Amino acid sequence: MEKSERFSEYLFVKMGPGDRGPKTTEDRTAAVDHTGVKKWFIDNTLLVITLAGVMIGISVGFGLRPYHLGPDALMIISYPGELFMRLLKLMILPLIIASLIAGSASLNARMSGKIAVRTLLYFILTSMFNAFLGILLAMLIHPGQPDLREDSIAAFENKRDHSILDSLLDIGRNIFPDNIVQAAFQQAHTVYTEPKTIFPKSANDSGNYRILVRDIRYRAGTNTLGLVFFCLVFGSLLGTLGPKGKVVIDFFQAIFEVIMKMVTGVMWFTPIGVSSVIAGKILGVNNVAQVMSQLAWFIATVTVGVFLYQLIVMQLIYFLFLRRNPYKFYWGLSQAMLTASATASTAAALPVTFRAMEGPLRIDPRITRFVLPIGCNINMDGTALFLSVASVFVCQMNSMRLGFAQLTAIFLTSTAASVSSASVPSAAMVLLLVVLAAVDAPTHDVSLLFAVDWLVDRIRTTNNMLGDCYAAAVVEHMSKNELMACDAASMEPSLPNGLPTSNTEVEIGIITPGKKSIASDDVIVDMHLHNNTNRI
């Protein structure tokens, strides 16, 4: 009797819910399949409300300008945006560390090296193209020699306060930090200071010429280059430990998943944060109309270059490599583009970029977790274009004749300086001094561009973010064979993250309790079924 009951239970389980007789009522719990415009709004709810936040911020900013609000009112209006930026920046460091270690640990060392070479080659070539495009557009859209300065050219001391060599050497110092804890909140940079002497200056010293020496100091800001290098090496070696490294890899994968859940929650505050940031920036700028009219050609040149690269060059690269519709991929990054434009920081938009790339666009997580953190610190396509355009603009203001040697210097220094750019708002303005020093151009005119940098920075940041995403897509396609080989290797008895398990456990029959209960129940049911069928 007991065996027959087990047999009936077995048949009941095998039949499933679909074989339990005809349905008398409609399943009211079934999901409703929306179509048309309603379906589009449901699928793109976050994008729609973010775009609405952008429009509200612009409307509030220009609408409140005639009232000439005081500093307290401006601070209150900008306060939600400040909190939103702080929340995004809060997740950058754990996200970069967890994604790089988990991503590099899932790949073998040889594959990590190949992906790194392809990624860096793509970044360098695109940065060089953007620098060349910026120079070309600046020379074609030739405004003459505008004189926007109120004063005559003022004398300035020590034009050579920084050089491209110092920037390149600072990159090496930051890639190899001497203190990994210090790298979390400080980065090295070169400054020029007067040497300390024990003798006071004599009265005969005129003071017109100063002797300056290099000094390596630390400034506030996360040294992401050093953390990226350390995490790549740490994760690659962690993946070679086999079962011993499983616990550590699972730990960082869990951190990454928790951070992404936090990002999902923070994203619903995007409309408020974005509208607050934009409104505060618009209200904080003096004489918007005058600045726009004086620097209209400069803003137009940068904007044309950015959208020419985004809508034509990037799409052409994507189509040539992947043979797919590139504009679907471009549309899938709309939310990340809006966030990057509002925050003016590729790193701040990194959590949203991860969400889009690994979600709707379905890019391999092993590639995104490897390429995106590196790209937000190295790949600055928009910055390279901005530096070349701004350098030509300043030279034309001072009626400098630009020959082949000067244009080549601007091209090379803009490319190199963009690599050393920090992923923070307005970081390119500091690098512009380096590029101008390479062609011996006056650097004091850079202050004119600060008036519109709040706008231009938001335009060029979308180029930086999209460059990382398209690089990940291209590198994934080029690494398809390696990824398939890695997947094939993980088909062997392995742990969930692809690390091979010890063969001794399989040979002696040691199985985890969860797996044992599932397997043993099936065997017991099948055995009783066999016995019952024989008796019948």
Side-chain angles (χ1 to χ4, degrees):
M1 184 68 181
E2 182 181 356
K3 293 182 178 179
S4 62
E5 290 179 357
R6 287 198 175 187
F7 177 65
S8 62
E9 290 177 2
Y10 172 77
L11 292 178
F12 186 74
V13 171
K14 288 295 182 182
M15 285 189 300
D19 300 328
R20 297 180 184 178
K23 293 183 179 180
T24 57
T25 59
E26 184 180 357
D27 189 3
R28 297 182 180 179
T29 61
V32 180
D33 187 14
H34 299 284
T35 58
V37 178
K38 189 174 183 179
K39 181 178 184 300
W40 185 89
F41 273 102
I42 293 175
D43 294 339
N44 300 275
T45 303
L46 197 57
L47 175 62
V48 172
I49 61 176
T50 302
L51 187 59
V54 173
M55 302 305 297
I56 292 173
I58 295 175
S59 302
V60 171
F62 284 104
L64 295 179
R65 282 190 64 84
Y67 297 97
H68 303 289
L69 301 178
D72 292 340
L74 291 179
M75 182 181 64
I76 292 174
I77 293 175
S78 304
Y79 188 67
E82 179 186 351
L83 296 182
F84 176 71
M85 289 287 293
R86 293 173 73 92
L87 282 175
L88 288 179
K89 292 179 179 180
L90 174 67
M91 294 179 284
I92 293 174
L93 188 59
L95 186 65
I96 289 177
I97 293 175
S99 63
L100 279 175
I101 292 179
S104 57
S106 63
L107 307 170
N108 56 57
R110 180 178 298 178
M111 183 177 176
S112 298
K114 291 182 178 179
I115 294 177
V117 170
R118 291 166 182 163
T119 303
L120 292 177
L121 185 61
Y122 182 93
F123 287 161
I124 293 174
L125 291 177
T126 54
S127 296
M128 293 175 65
F129 179 84
N130 275 272
F132 175 78
L133 179 64
I135 295 175
L136 182 63
L137 290 175
M139 299 300 292
L140 290 177
I141 309 176
H142 185 65
Q145 284 75 30
D147 188 6
L148 307 180
R149 297 162 295 174
E150 298 178 358
D151 303 327
S152 60
I153 299 177
F156 54 95
E157 297 179 326
N158 188 33
K159 293 192 299 184
R160 184 185 170 278
D161 57 350
H162 206 74
S163 66
I164 191 63
L165 177 62
D166 296 326
S167 298
L168 295 176
L169 295 178
D170 287 341
I171 293 176
R173 295 185 184 99
N174 287 316
I175 290 178
F176 302 101
D178 55 353
N179 190 329
I180 193 63
V181 177
Q182 186 184 25
F185 53 87
Q186 283 186 339
Q187 51 185 286
H189 73 120
T190 301
V191 295
Y192 282 80
T193 59
E194 295 184 4
K196 296 181 180 179
T197 58
I198 59 175
F199 301 103
K201 292 184 178 180
S202 62
N204 296 327
D205 293 339
S206 61
N208 293 330
Y209 180 75
R210 296 185 302 167
I211 299 176
L212 301 178
V213 295
R214 288 186 179 93
D215 187 16
I216 309 302
R217 294 184 179 179
Y218 289 90
R219 60 187 173 192
T222 304
N223 179 13
T224 48
L225 284 177
L227 294 176
V228 164
F229 176 77
F230 176 82
C231 292
L232 285 177
V233 176
F234 184 86
S236 299
L237 296 179
L238 182 64
T240 63
L241 296 181
K244 295 180 181 178
K246 176 185 180 299
V247 177
V248 183
I249 296 175
D250 290 342
F251 170 74
F252 285 106
Q253 286 179 341
I255 291 179
F256 182 83
E257 293 175 4
V258 170
I259 296 297
M260 294 309 296
K261 287 183 178 293
M262 293 174 62
V263 170
T264 303
V266 171
M267 282 302 98
W268 292 105
F269 296 96
T270 302
I272 300 175
V274 166
S275 60
S276 174
V277 169
I278 294 177
K281 286 294 181 182
I282 293 176
L283 291 172
V285 177
N286 297 324
N287 300 323
V288 175
Q290 181 181 359
V291 169
M292 292 296 181
S293 60
Q294 289 179 338
L295 299 174
W297 84 269
F298 173 74
I299 299 173
T301 304
V302 176
T303 304
V304 168
V306 166
F307 286 104
L308 179 64
Y309 181 71
Q310 285 185 18
L311 299 178
I312 297 179
V313 179
M314 274 187 177
Q315 316 308 326
L316 185 61
I317 293 174
Y318 185 90
F319 178 76
L320 289 178
F321 278 94
L322 279 75
R323 299 293 180 181
R324 300 175 188 168
N325 185 357
Y327 292 100
K328 289 184 178 180
F329 187 80
Y330 184 80
W331 173 254
L333 296 169
S334 302
Q335 176 69 30
M337 276 192 291
L338 286 176
T339 306
S341 178
T343 59
S345 174
T346 312
L350 186 60
V352 192
T353 309
F354 267 117
R355 190 171 178 268
M357 292 287 285
E358 297 184 6
L361 298 178
R362 298 182 180 180
I363 302 298
D364 197 311
R366 292 171 293 184
I367 299 297
T368 58
R369 299 178 190 183
F370 192 95
V371 175
L372 294 183
I374 300 176
C376 75
N377 296 284
I378 296 178
N379 184 39
M380 299 292 171
D381 295 336
T383 302
L385 187 143
F386 167 79
L387 291 176
S388 58
V389 173
S391 301
V392 175
F393 172 75
V394 173
C395 292
Q396 289 177 345
M397 281 178 53
N398 292 275
S399 301
M400 290 183 58
R401 185 178 180 83
L402 295 175
F404 179 78
Q406 287 78 13
L407 293 176
T408 303
I410 292 176
F411 168 73
L412 295 177
T413 52
S414 297
T415 304
S418 65
V419 176
S420 62
S421 175
S423 184
V424 296
S426 298
M429 299 303 296
V430 179
L431 297 174
L432 182 56
L433 300 175
V434 179
V435 181
L436 293 176
V439 292
D440 200 25
T443 57
H444 59 278
D445 290 332
V446 174
S447 59
L448 294 171
L449 304 181
F450 273 102
V452 294
D453 189 61
W454 63 275
L455 175 62
V456 178
D457 195 10
R458 279 157 174 75
I459 297 173
R460 67 173 181 261
T461 302
T462 58
N463 249 23
N464 300 337
M465 187 276 301
L466 287 172
D468 302 339
C469 298
Y470 277 77
V474 172
V475 170
E476 182 199 33
H477 179 76
M478 296 176 65
S479 307
K480 186 179 297 184
N481 294 333
E482 289 86 351
L483 292 172
M484 292 176 62
C486 190
D487 292 335
S490 64
M491 295 297 292
E492 300 175 357
S494 60
L495 297 173
N497 45 31
L499 297 177
T501 58
S502 58
N503 295 329
T504 54
E505 293 183 357
V506 179
E507 291 172 358
I508 64 178
I510 299 178
I511 308 175
T512 57
K515 293 180 180 179
K516 181 179 179 181
S517 62
I518 296 174
S520 59
D521 289 342
D522 291 341
V523 173
I524 290 173
V525 172
D526 289 339
M527 289 176 63
H528 284 286
L529 175 63
H530 181 69
N531 292 337
N532 287 326
T533 53
N534 288 340
R535 292 186 180 186
I536 292 174

